[in-house]
Amino acid sequence: MGGDIGLPVTIPASVEFARRFPDARLLLVGLPDAIEKALAGSRDVPRDRLEIVAASEVVTMDDSVEVALRRKKDSSMRIAAQAVKDGRADACVSAGNTGAWMAISRYVLKTLDGIDRPAIATSIPNQKGKSTTVLDLGANVDCTAEHLLQFAIMGAALAQALDHCERPSVGLLNIGEEVIKGNEVVKEAAELLRASRLNFYGNVEGNDIFKGTVDVVVCDGFVGNAVLKSIEGLARMLSSIIREEFKRNPITLLAGAIASPVLNRLRKRVDNRRHNGAALLGLRGVVIKSHGSADSYAFGFALQRAREAVASKLLERTNLSMAQIRQQGIPTNTHTNDAAISLPRAAGDSA
Amino acid sequence: MGGDIGLPVTIPASVEFARRFPDARLLLVGLPDAIEKALAGSRDVPRDRLEIVAASEVVTMDDSVEVALRRKKDSSMRIAAQAVKDGRADACVSAGNTGAWMAISRYVLKTLDGIDRPAIATSIPNQKGKSTTVLDLGANVDCTAEHLLQFAIMGAALAQALDHCERPSVGLLNIGEEVIKGNEVVKEAAELLRASRLNFYGNVEGNDIFKGTVDVVVCDGFVGNAVLKSIEGLARMLSSIIREEFKRNPITLLAGAIASPVLNRLRKRVDNRRHNGAALLGLRGVVIKSHGSADSYAFGFALQRAREAVASKLLERTNLSMAQIRQQGIPTNTHTNDAAISLPRAAGDSA
């Protein structure tokens, strides 16, 4: 039901996805009449693999987390997450309100062992023609060093699962040559990462996201969100400037027409729709967030990411990596030393 | 002496600047022989307005702040900052090591009243064809709410001075729709800003830098540095992709040649050399940092920014605004309430 456009985007993308992957079965969660109507407009619908699951409420883009979580208990988001919880679905995807989607999926699914807080991760295309996984993008502000370590574990598992990096390199986003190199949290996180069995590269800077210096860039959610929104803003400005300049007058229009094969290739290379589908990591289920403004082409990629994450066992990889790092004796949990939850340590057990 | 290239960039730019502004007088601080040699290669040098000031040492890009500050006491940076301190110069400009330049200029010049820490600010071109002043870009990590207020005061004064905004609007960089809207420091800073007489717009997100939503965007140095480096990285990647695509084969080369008037206009519109020259704000003197990789065209803009900051009385504007906000009774200083430095309050005096 979600996203800026809703069913006219999600339904055609789902139909196309089902046609493309004959082993896929989709639960379309939402207002049944609206979904039926949207399906009626599509041709060649493999109805045997598209099941409508009724939800009586819809979380809007403006709903607060409070409203979404406490007052709309029969929302499509809630029912979708519950389907994963109950094992009826392997993954769930929404293009709706990010905060609500995070809160609901966390509430319903809970976090994996050793994960304090889920994180949001996305893939950003880099100069090497591959992509860089960046997290957290806004779920967590005020992170501890242990949180950053958890992000690294989750992000590396995601890069393994989706980008087929066998041993993804991990960089810690830090500031450059300026006066003070990073704050205390980042310095501490670097020590944890260095001690861990992850393939830790060291500190990286913002431009390394695009250089492709590492496979995974870890930062707190405040920084990650600011970076993501800024690069989206720059990309939008540049593409509108390019359009403006080619539309300036008949001569520039002609130049644009002549250059159009090049411009089309360019557009394809930087088309961020192919990277649509942020992962909400650290939950006991595969949860994907599509960009709210995604069209059906882009939404299809979010569905594919969900499918790939399941097929390549994202959760198992995350669990395995977490267990191995704990076995190294590295504190992965912020509250490890809280009296209330600390347990007597056994050999090889640090958390 | 500074920057990736050094005198072959700074000297021609200085000569050109002196020719362009007949009222300008330049002190060229550094190794005299090297400067003489570089000057000898330039034509039409207005030697009566270019004075060489000897320094026996040069801070390198790799020097630590410690080395630059304590071991190279006769560095060109040190002598240049001292010239401002002594009133021999109105402003100083360097393309060298940012950390060292910040530390030395702070050590020599000290901060303005009410400023705990200097900040680095730059102008980023926005979609409105104007520019957005963003600070801090890396001088300060772990800022308090009061520091962010100080950045706002300094940034607004800079936008008044250089961009001739009469009453610059100020936005506080925050995260968007996601789970938790900002951390405690940002929330607190928003309250201080709302109470102040600054033209506070409210929270903005990364993309607002490019939309031109506000004249000044305030954030802590960790976030600002990550954002700045990221957008530099994206810009570099896109320009190399554009070049690659137009150089793919003879046909695309021809398309590029035909489209070249458009591409040249584009290049000019997004040419960040015209925005070269970050301001080191909050010091008792105008201090400008040129990008290390600047060419002489770009370095000329850094010199111009120094000139404009002096001509438009940047420091006086900052002092005035700070005094007015203190008079409002708003705490501008982080240590206002420290017992050791608190003074009995007089009416209308809050700090």
Side-chain angles (χ1 to χ4, degrees), chain B residues 193-212:
Chain B
L193 283 162
R194 209 163 286 123
S196 81
R197 58 194 303 287
L198 292 172
N199 182 10
F200 181 52
Y201 171 88
N203 289 330
V204 295
E205 297 183 55
N207 50 336
D208 289 302
I209 295 171
F210 297 99
K211 275 192 193 166

Side-chain angles (χ1 to χ4, degrees), chain B residues 252-303:
Chain B
T252 60
L253 271 171
L254 183 65
I258 292 166
S260 69
V262 185
L263 297 174
N264 287 339
R265 268 194 66 102
L266 262 175
R267 198 173 296 129
K268 203 167 168 190
R269 275 184 72 176
V270 299
D271 188 352
N272 66 354
R273 293 182 302 170
R274 303 167 66 89
H275 292 87
N276 185 39
L280 272 48
L281 297 175
L283 298 165
R284 295 175 189 266
V286 170
V287 183
I288 300 290
K289 165 68 176 78
S290 159
H291 208 291
S293 67
D295 59 15
S296 70
Y297 177 74
F299 194 76
F301 281 93
L303 294 173

